Amino acid sequence: MHITRKERFNAAHRLYRKDYTDEKNLKVFGKCSNPNWHGHNYDLYVTVKGKVNPETGFVINLKQLSKIIKEFVIQKLDHKNINLEVDFMQGKLASTENIAIAIWEQLEEPVRSLHAELFSIKIYETENNFVEYFGEQYI
Ligand code: NI
């Protein structure tokens, strides 16, 4: 059984490489390379898998899942600059792909402590663009 909790965060970022000129950054990363930052309203879907506990009827307690997502992910990202302020994104390109991988790494153990397994991390950066990550085999 799969079960999903949705959370939201708003954050600023810039997609760029220091070894590129501003012109090349604009060519490769488009508007997301704006040197003066910009923000997105991200939608995050955390899906876990597990067996239905016959005692509770739950795969996982969604309140507890929401609590760990907030503690390990949302509090660190929401209203922050992803490039400058988010510990688990330091030294990484702030792409939605890399954010999804980093969120997986943040949540894998805490989800396990709730006796379930992480299945996927899905992030909508815009209405039309989203990524979905299923663990290291997809890096
Ligand atoms: Ni952007």
Side-chain angles (χ1 to χ4, degrees):
M1 182 75 80
H2 294 166
I3 186 164
T4 300
R5 173 74 191 180
K6 178 186 178 184
E7 301 283 350
R8 293 189 177 93
F9 59 94
N10 308 320
H13 80 155
R14 181 190 177 197
L15 289 183
Y16 75 111
R17 296 189 61 90
K18 281 183 185 161
D19 54 337
Y20 288 2
T21 61
D22 280 354
E23 291 71 35
K24 187 165 180 189
N25 275 314
L26 182 62
K27 201 175 165 197
V28 174
F29 298 114
K31 285 195 290 189
C32 278
S33 78
N34 174 25
N36 291 318
W37 317 106
H38 64 280
H40 294 280
N41 298 318
Y42 293 92
D43 287 332
L44 167 65
Y45 296 81
V46 176
T47 300
V48 306
K49 65 180 176 183
K51 290 186 174 153
V52 178
N53 180 330
E55 198 176 316
T56 61
F58 295 159
V59 170
I60 194 169
N61 182 314
L62 280 175
K63 226 174 195 174
Q64 288 179 327
L65 179 60
S66 172
K67 192 166 170 261
I68 64 164
I69 297 169
K70 288 195 172 94
E71 181 184 344
F72 291 94
V73 176
I74 303 298
Q75 280 179 10
K76 295 181 174 195
L77 280 167
D78 194 32
H79 289 72
K80 297 284 168 39
N81 181 311
I82 295 170
N83 297 69
L84 301 179
E85 296 179 279
V86 179
D87 57 0
F88 60 76
M89 288 302 294
Q90 289 310 296
K92 297 171 185 170
L93 241 157
S95 65
T96 316
E97 291 89 331
N98 283 341
I99 297 167
I101 293 167
I103 289 175
W104 177 286
E105 288 167 355
Q106 287 294 109
L107 291 178
E108 192 172 19
E109 283 309 315
V111 167
R112 217 166 264 160
S113 75
L114 298 177
H115 310 291
E117 288 288 324
L118 202 49
F119 176 72
S120 71
I121 299 294
K122 182 158 74 174
I123 304 174
Y124 279 79
E125 186 184 68
T126 69
E127 207 181 342
N128 298 320
N129 297 334
F130 69 93
V131 304
E132 203 166 5
Y133 179 56
F134 300 90
E136 63 184 2
Q137 68 270 31
Y138 289 95
I139 288 177

